[in-house]
Amino acid sequence: MKRIIALTLCLVLCMGLCVNVFAANENNTKGVVFSVELDKPNLTVSDEDQTVRMTFTANKEFETCSVSYTASTDEFPVTALKGGANMPAATVNPVTKMLSWNSNDGNVVKMQEFGIVDVKIPANTPAGTYELGFSKLKLSENYGADIWESTATAYATLTIAPAPVAVSNITLNKNTLALTVGGSETLTATVYPENATNKDVTWSSDNENAATVDANGTVTAVGEGEAIITATTEDGKYTATCTVKVSPAPVAANGVTLTPDKTTLNVGEKQTLTATVLPAYATNKNVTWVSSDTSVATVENGVVTAVGKGTATITVTTEDGGYTATCEVTVKLPVSAVTLNETSTALVVGNTKQLTATVVPANADDSTVTWKSGNTNVATVDQTGKVTAVGVGTTTITATAGGKSATCTVTVTAKPVPIEAIALRDAAVSVGGTIQLEPVFTPADTTQRDVVWTSSDRTIATVDANGRVRGVAEGKVTIAVTSTADRSITASCTVTVTKNLSDDLVSIIGALGNSSLPFNDVTVRDYFYDAVKWAVDRGITSGTSRYTFSPDAPCTRAQVVTFLWRAAGCPQPTSKSNPFTDVRADDYFYTAVLWAVENGITNGTSAKTFSPDATVTRAQVVTFLWRANGQPAAGNSGFADVSADKYYATAVAWAVSQRITTGTGFGVFSPDAACTRAQIVTFLYRAN
């Protein structure tokens, strides 16, 4: 590698090199003394291929005669000691180990003027210390016709420094530094590469109001703020920085407050307490928390958790100074639930019922029960839970404790009014026709209206449980009605069964197309004729009036479950528990609803409502019918408006498979359309 050598002429050694001066008196009969001295005994170069200027002074003792002298460069060899290595265009004396260049090379040694010689250091000279000088420096003295010659030698020390290594980078031992006012810390700079020639670094701060830095990298915090300390290499001006953040001198804590200092919680609740260390500008605001009773309340980072009933003291303590503050925590056990011994009950006006409330848990705080009636005109309740029936109707009794409530539905009926007598009117009916008998009760407000119907001859006419008579054969029959409350109270009438109807009925039948039904809105040509006739014959329905069936009228939820119940033979439910507040014991559909709930046909529209007057949809009707038939499995209905994820999908598919329905046309079922009375009896008829 080519060496870069810079010329630097300086005195390196204090003692210097003793110039070796000697004189020879060759052919000098007059004893001429000649000596050579170099002006700089020590020379240093660091740049390659540089020229060293050597100045020498030749001194001589002259006699009183005139003298002239000359110096020739022909015999100016440049020599060096301690070489130790071959150098280009040079020879090494094997005995003296001296390195020599031929002085005849004008590019090596050149006499600028007498006493000034420029010596060119060859390129690629290895670094080291050498002796550089002149040997056999010859001077001639002319004295008239006499010529005297003398030689002298002089050396100087030449140091060839290694080629400098440039700096490539600089780093600091820290990139950030946090100090408080008055503090200090010394940063360490590392210059790369490790063998860089010049590792000198200068230090500076961009904000000496915050922090200063000395020549050794010691940073001193002066004032609050931020300063950037920069280390810069002398060689290459590479930089590295450290951000110093100076904070104020520590401020001691002198107290602490706790907010709130008193609180009440329920078991399971949490609340965050706020600790304020004083003064507001205190340096160390760290605190610790402790509870006096962890079975009552625990605390973590100021968050209090209520564990159990009781009282505990929460204490906060400052890390600096040990100052304390407290909060008294009262933990209550809340009421989780209130239950009543009955959720529904029936009373007669004037009667009473004792309700009992149970508070959970038994040891809960605020466990006092308060009672309230939703309608005091129906029933009242005292603060012991005693219910008194006041008037006919339904109301809700509510028991409340600790924010939790339980209710009981109370149905109040009038006091029983004993039946005194029953009366019936004679009637007539055609063969195959039906007629509804209406008993007349005495007194009119009697509450004992349950009766039993019998026919004296079922081959002539039959009578169902509701008093509907069906003509079987021509003749007369006695229809009797008996009070179930008092079997001794009975009445009877004569029903005449004829082949021909009265003139009025004849005209109606003619208009209906010879139908055997009494309804003027049902003809034999209607798709639902057979279904209506079947339903009437079995006492499932008697129409909406004496001569109307209202086939296109929408059906209610109460009517649907009643139809289903009657079609099933009017079975009696095993349970008398009624969960619905909108279904009363005296409703015609009461037993049907209980039966439907018991058999899983419907669960009502909510936990406490049945919505008896709500219109049913086609989807709901086939679902009721499907459930009544045991919920059999089925495939796909094929209707475009019945997706597989609908609750009624299987019910519709079953109804299609049983040919109960074929939809409303054009490949649709219309699940959300209101179901008519004609459709319902048709569905029932096809399913049986």
Side-chain angles (χ1 to χ4, degrees), residues 24-34 60-61 63 65 139-143 145-150:
N25 190 6
E26 299 176 2
N27 302 316
N28 187 353
T29 60
K30 293 191 181 268
V32 175
V33 177
F34 173 67
K60 177 182 182 297
E61 297 288 339
E63 297 180 356
C65 60
L139 278 76
S140 299
E141 180 182 355
N142 298 318
Y143 186 81
D146 297 321
I147 298 176
W148 292 272
E149 293 181 352
S150 299

Side-chain angles (χ1 to χ4, degrees), residues 86-146:
N86 292 329
M87 303 177 72
T91 60
V92 179
N93 188 304
V95 178
T96 63
K97 306 298 182 181
M98 298 180 66
L99 184 68
S100 302
W101 293 270
N102 190 333
S103 64
N104 292 323
D105 187 352
N107 292 323
V108 175
V109 181
K110 184 176 183 180
M111 177 72 79
Q112 298 297 333
E113 59 183 86
F114 187 78
I116 300 176
V117 180
D118 288 342
V119 180
K120 187 175 183 180
I121 308 301
N124 300 318
T125 302
T129 302
Y130 305 94
E131 286 187 345
L132 179 67
F134 309 96
S135 65
K136 297 181 181 181
L137 179 64
K138 182 173 68 175
L139 278 76
S140 299
E141 180 182 355
N142 298 318
Y143 186 81
D146 297 321

Side-chain angles (χ1 to χ4, degrees), residues 327-403:
C327 174
E328 183 180 284
V329 179
T330 301
V331 179
K332 292 186 175 183
L333 185 61
V335 175
S336 61
V338 176
T339 61
L340 292 177
N341 58 324
E342 292 191 38
T343 58
S344 65
T345 189
L347 296 175
V348 175
V349 173
N351 289 354
T352 62
K353 182 78 171 187
Q354 182 64 54
L355 296 179
T356 302
T358 301
V359 178
V360 181
N363 64 334
D365 293 287
D366 195 18
S367 60
T368 301
V369 179
T370 59
W371 299 84
K372 183 179 179 181
S373 171
N375 187 348
T376 56
N377 293 323
V378 176
T380 61
V381 61
D382 63 18
Q383 291 309 302
T384 68
K386 182 179 179 180
V387 180
T388 301
V390 177
V392 176
T394 301
T395 188
T396 299
I397 303 299
T398 303
T400 303

Side-chain angles (χ1 to χ4, degrees), residues 509-525:
I509 292 172
L512 298 177
N514 297 321
S515 172
S516 62
L517 292 172
F519 308 128
N520 56 22
D521 54 358
V522 179
T523 73
V524 294
R525 293 181 294 274

Side-chain angles (χ1 to χ4, degrees), residues 78-380:
V78 180
T79 64
L81 297 172
K82 306 177 184 178
N86 292 329
M87 303 177 72
T91 60
V92 179
N93 188 304
V95 178
T96 63
K97 306 298 182 181
M98 298 180 66
L99 184 68
S100 302
W101 293 270
N102 190 333
S103 64
N104 292 323
D105 187 352
N107 292 323
V108 175
V109 181
K110 184 176 183 180
M111 177 72 79
Q112 298 297 333
E113 59 183 86
F114 187 78
I116 300 176
V117 180
D118 288 342
V119 180
K120 187 175 183 180
I121 308 301
N124 300 318
T125 302
T129 302
Y130 305 94
E131 286 187 345
L132 179 67
F134 309 96
S135 65
K136 297 181 181 181
L137 179 64
K138 182 173 68 175
L139 278 76
S140 299
E141 180 182 355
N142 298 318
Y143 186 81
D146 297 321
I147 298 176
W148 292 272
E149 293 181 352
S150 299
T151 61
T153 302
Y155 301 102
T157 299
L158 173 66
T159 301
I160 300 178
V165 178
V167 173
S168 62
N169 195 15
I170 183 174
T171 62
L172 295 179
N173 61 320
K174 290 187 177 181
N175 296 323
T176 60
L177 187 61
L179 298 174
T180 58
V181 174
S184 66
E185 187 169 337
T186 299
L187 299 176
T188 301
T190 302
V191 178
Y192 298 95
E194 293 183 359
N195 62 337
T197 302
N198 186 356
K199 293 187 176 182
D200 291 343
V201 174
T202 58
W203 298 84
S204 63
S205 169
D206 73 337
N207 183 7
E208 293 191 344
N209 292 325
T212 61
V213 60
D214 65 13
N216 298 316
T218 299
V219 180
T220 302
V222 177
E224 184 179 3
E226 186 173 297
I228 297 176
I229 303 301
T230 303
T232 305
T233 63
E234 186 177 283
D235 180 12
K237 304 300 179 183
Y238 293 95
T239 61
T241 61
C242 174
T243 300
V244 180
K245 294 184 178 180
V246 181
S247 59
V251 178
N254 59 18
V256 64
T257 62
L258 196 55
T259 305
D261 60 3
K262 184 180 295 184
T263 188
T264 300
L265 300 173
N266 288 328
V267 172
E269 290 183 339
K270 297 178 181 290
Q271 184 174 351
T272 299
L273 305 181
T274 301
T276 303
V277 178
L278 303 175
Y281 49 87
T283 302
N284 185 354
K285 295 186 176 183
N286 294 333
V287 296
T288 57
W289 301 83
V290 66
S291 171
S292 65
D293 190 345
T294 55
S295 67
V296 175
T298 61
V299 61
E300 183 175 359
N301 296 327
V303 179
V304 178
T305 302
V307 177
K309 185 177 180 180
T311 301
T313 299
I314 304 299
T315 302
V316 63
T317 304
T318 64
E319 186 177 277
D320 181 12
Y323 299 97
T324 62
T326 61
C327 174
E328 183 180 284
V329 179
T330 301
V331 179
K332 292 186 175 183
L333 185 61
V335 175
S336 61
V338 176
T339 61
L340 292 177
N341 58 324
E342 292 191 38
T343 58
S344 65
T345 189
L347 296 175
V348 175
V349 173
N351 289 354
T352 62
K353 182 78 171 187
Q354 182 64 54
L355 296 179
T356 302
T358 301
V359 178
V360 181
N363 64 334
D365 293 287
D366 195 18
S367 60
T368 301
V369 179
T370 59
W371 299 84
K372 183 179 179 181
S373 171
N375 187 348
T376 56
N377 293 323
V378 176
T380 61

